[in-house]
Amino acid sequence: GAGVSQSPRYKVTKRGQDVALRCDPISGHVSLYWYRQALGQGPEFLTYFNYEAQQDKSGLPNDRFSAERPEGSISTLTIQRTEQRDSAMYRCASSLAGGNTGELFFGEGSRLTVL
Amino acid sequence: KNQVEQSPQSLIILEGKNCTLQCNYTVSPFSNLRWYKQDTGRGPVSLTIMTFSENTKSNGRYTATLDADTKQSSLHITASQLSDSASYICVVSAVEYGNKLVFGAGTILRVKS
């Protein structure tokens, strides 16, 4: 696609439910990043991939969060047993170059609300 | 404590005026420092990327400076326009953490007519 596409754009769920957020990066981009952003704050790094390999998952808050990119393209961020504190905007970004040297292109984000 | 601190937290200026936003960081060593513009409800868009060896980089009316010795960067906006109203985010790439990007909380700029 022309840009980074994320779905769903909005997700409202009840506490305790699992959610899966999808990111479709720009075609050919090697690196894919997941961030989350609380209102009025800068993005907080969660994890990133080069191709299908998860390079750094140190930003994942706890073991309820996981991410995968099995074929080196589309990625899914899964949050199990959601809690109210998980409510945030979850953003995906992709970069043509590997590592963190290339320009990042961000998606429009997935707004998660946990009731 | 955040490794990237930005100031001021918010700023209101009149259209046509200049302004300077500050970014102080403790991330060391770092590979690059970036400034992003984020419009309300949108994803961040890159303005400048500077490596540790660069002192300044311009993008139209936006000029970023970097002092790696004092670990400070600034973003100067010249002749502000209403469309400059946005959040400006400073981001540092931390070598120690595999070049993980560390984001500041941002400065919210509002340009008034």
Side-chain angles (χ1 to χ4, degrees):
Chain A
V4 179
S5 177
Q6 292 187 245
S7 61
R9 290 292 306 280
Y10 302 93
K11 176 69 176 179
V12 180
T13 189
K14 292 183 178 179
R15 186 177 53 189
Q17 298 294 307
D18 297 350
V19 297
L21 307 177
R22 173 188 163 120
C23 172
D24 193 352
I26 294 173
S27 178
H29 276 199
V30 170
S31 299
L32 183 148
Y33 306 78
W34 282 100
Y35 300 91
R36 69 176 177 181
Q37 189 169 15
L39 196 62
Q41 297 293 313
E44 173 193 13
F45 171 83
L46 295 177
T47 185
Y48 92 92
F49 296 82
N50 280 344
Y51 299 104
E52 73 282 357
Q54 192 169 20
Q55 298 292 316
D56 181 353
K57 58 180 181 179
S58 62
L60 296 176
N62 50 62
D63 60 7
R64 295 186 297 105
F65 287 74
S66 64
E68 62 175 9
R69 192 187 185 197
E71 297 178 1
S73 179
I74 293 170
S75 177
T76 302
L77 176 70
T78 302
I79 308 173
Q80 296 178 311
R81 306 180 302 281
T82 53
E83 301 177 4
Q84 287 184 326
R85 59 178 172 160
D86 299 335
S87 297
M89 175 71 83
Y90 288 81
R91 294 197 185 277
C92 173
S94 70
S95 172
L96 181 61
N100 272 306
T101 55
E103 182 172 345
L104 283 181
F105 296 85
F106 285 81
E108 295 297 311
S110 292
R111 168 75 67 188
L112 174 64
T113 302
V114 182
L115 302 177
Chain B
K1 181 173 167 35
N2 197 355
Q3 294 176 294
V4 180
E5 297 280 351
Q6 292 188 242
S7 63
Q9 187 174 19
S10 62
L11 181 64
I12 301 174
I13 61 173
L14 290 176
E15 186 179 13
K17 298 296 186 182
N18 304 334
C19 68
T20 300
L21 314 180
Q22 299 292 340
C23 174
N24 295 340
Y25 60 93
T26 59
V27 175
S28 181
F30 75 99
S31 59
N32 59 68
L33 185 147
R34 309 160 182 239
W35 283 93
Y36 285 87
K37 178 186 178 187
Q38 185 172 19
D39 293 313
T40 301
R42 308 299 298 274
V45 174
S46 178
L47 293 176
T48 63
I49 301 175
M50 291 184 290
T51 65
F52 62 87
S53 62
E54 295 180 287
N55 300 120
T56 187
K57 183 159 284 188
S58 292
N59 178 359
R61 295 180 295 103
Y62 301 99
T63 299
T65 64
L66 174 63
D67 186 335
D69 292 331
T70 61
K71 296 185 174 58
Q72 295 179 325
S73 177
S74 64
L75 180 70
H76 186 73
I77 304 174
T78 304
S80 62
Q81 300 176 358
L82 297 178
S83 60
D84 292 331
S85 296
S87 179
Y88 291 84
I89 303 172
C90 174
V91 184
V92 180
S93 179
V95 173
E96 179 180 4
Y97 300 102
N99 285 315
K100 180 173 71 177
L101 297 182
V102 183
F103 285 76
T107 292
I108 298 172
L109 174 65
R110 181 181 165 206
V111 180
K112 294 172 52 178
S113 59

